[in-house]
Amino acid sequence: MLTKKQHELLLFINKRISESGVSPSFDEMKEALELRSKSGIHRLITALEERGFIRRLPHRARALEVLKLPDDMTAAAPPAPAQRGFKPAIVNSNFKPMRQIPQPTTRPARQSQPAAGSVDLPVLGRIAAGTPIDAIQHEVDRFSAPEAFLGGGEHYILEVDGESMINAGINDGDFAIIKRCSDAENGAIVVALVDDQEATLKRLRRKGASIALEAANPAFETRIYGPDRVAVQGKLVGIMRRYH
């Protein structure tokens, strides 16, 4: 038995895939269901996945597949969300927050290739202090980033949730470009996995046999752990921001 919102979301996803061959973005789902945040969409997606109606496909943009529909799924799909014009993605040091990712009105069945000189990177969700690790393991979108800006190695993107790093120029709603690695120099800003359960974006400080995860906001405390409790998952190499 699905809730009303689960029912509406499943129908919307199925309709969009049938029309374009690509599942809708989280922003499109949020607007179609008139929800205030993408966290509500994440919970609905998880509930539909647990009930066997959809599954997430790894390493693919808009990575959802409808596995089945309930017998009573005959209602018309909710209207497609109103589209807003594109705003350019900006990589610079002028810091203002952004919150949503506008999407084009229609999408081709095959994903377009990134422009020359750019790299298509997966967006793996949002990160804040104490973020459960499973919340950043699923691809929810893809962005193109300048190839020269990245350098070598494997990269991914996380949306920043919260203000614990604002004095390092990282605002709530920014998109952090992360280079995947298992170690980083002292003072680097990293994605740290604590106790194999929680991920956080903080500055890494080694103090003797201990590791400190340091916030860049005096309102947030620095936390100190034993070396066996912290695993580096990646290093911050850049910030992307779109202005409204």
Side-chain angles (χ1 to χ4, degrees):
M1 182 68 178
L2 298 178
T3 67
K4 180 180 178 181
K5 287 296 185 183
Q6 291 168 1
H7 191 280
E8 290 178 0
L9 182 59
L10 181 58
L11 184 58
F12 179 62
I13 293 171
N14 185 64
K15 181 175 185 293
R16 181 58 62 86
I17 293 176
S18 298
E19 292 174 346
S20 67
V22 182
S23 61
S25 70
F26 273 40
D27 279 283
E28 290 173 324
M29 289 185 263
K30 175 173 70 71
E31 292 188 12
L33 271 65
E34 298 182 346
L35 296 180
R36 296 183 62 182
S37 72
K38 287 185 285 187
S39 62
I41 294 297
H42 179 78
R43 288 192 292 270
L44 292 173
I45 290 291
T46 299
L48 289 173
E49 187 177 27
E50 290 174 348
R51 288 164 174 77
F53 288 97
I54 64 173
R55 68 168 176 163
R56 307 187 208 218
L57 303 176
H59 311 303
R60 286 180 51 186
R62 313 287 188 265
L64 296 176
E65 179 184 14
V66 176
L67 299 178
K68 65 179 181 179
L69 298 174
D71 295 336
D72 63 346
M73 179 89 50
T74 57
Q83 300 298 322
R84 298 183 174 88
F86 276 113
K87 302 291 184 179
I90 299 175
V91 181
N92 63 20
S93 58
N94 232 348
F95 297 108
K96 292 184 180 179
M98 64 79 63
R99 289 306 307 165
Q100 67 187 65
I101 316 167
Q103 303 294 333
T105 302
T106 59
R107 296 184 180 277
R110 296 186 60 174
Q111 183 184 337
S112 60
Q113 296 298 316
S118 65
V119 179
D120 205 16
L121 300 180
V123 180
L124 299 185
R126 307 181 74 187
I127 186 166
T131 299
I133 189 61
D134 60 0
I136 66 167
Q137 288 181 324
H138 300 292
E139 181 176 318
V140 298
D141 212 328
R142 294 189 79 86
F143 280 171
S144 291
E147 186 173 12
F149 183 73
L150 299 178
E154 181 183 356
H155 295 77
Y156 58 92
I157 294 174
L158 295 171
E159 183 180 2
V160 177
D161 184 9
E163 299 181 342
S164 65
M165 298 299 290
I166 58 173
N167 289 348
I170 304 170
N171 294 345
D172 181 46
D174 283 351
F175 288 84
I177 303 175
I178 307 296
K179 179 178 181 179
R180 196 180 297 275
C181 59
S182 58
D183 196 12
E185 68 273 16
N186 199 37
I189 297 175
V190 302
V191 175
L193 178 62
V194 180
D195 295 333
D196 292 324
Q197 295 180 353
E198 298 179 349
T200 186
L201 185 68
K202 291 292 183 290
R203 193 177 298 279
L204 179 71
R205 300 287 189 190
R206 293 184 176 88
K207 299 182 177 181
S210 299
I211 293 178
L213 297 180
E214 180 181 280
N217 183 339
F220 293 78
E221 65 179 351
T222 296
R223 298 189 175 182
I224 300 176
Y225 302 92
D228 58 334
R229 296 184 60 191
V230 177
V232 174
Q233 302 288 289
K235 174 184 174 181
L236 178 73
V237 297
I239 290 292
M240 297 177 66
R241 183 172 300 141
R242 184 179 286 119
Y243 291 87
H244 294 293

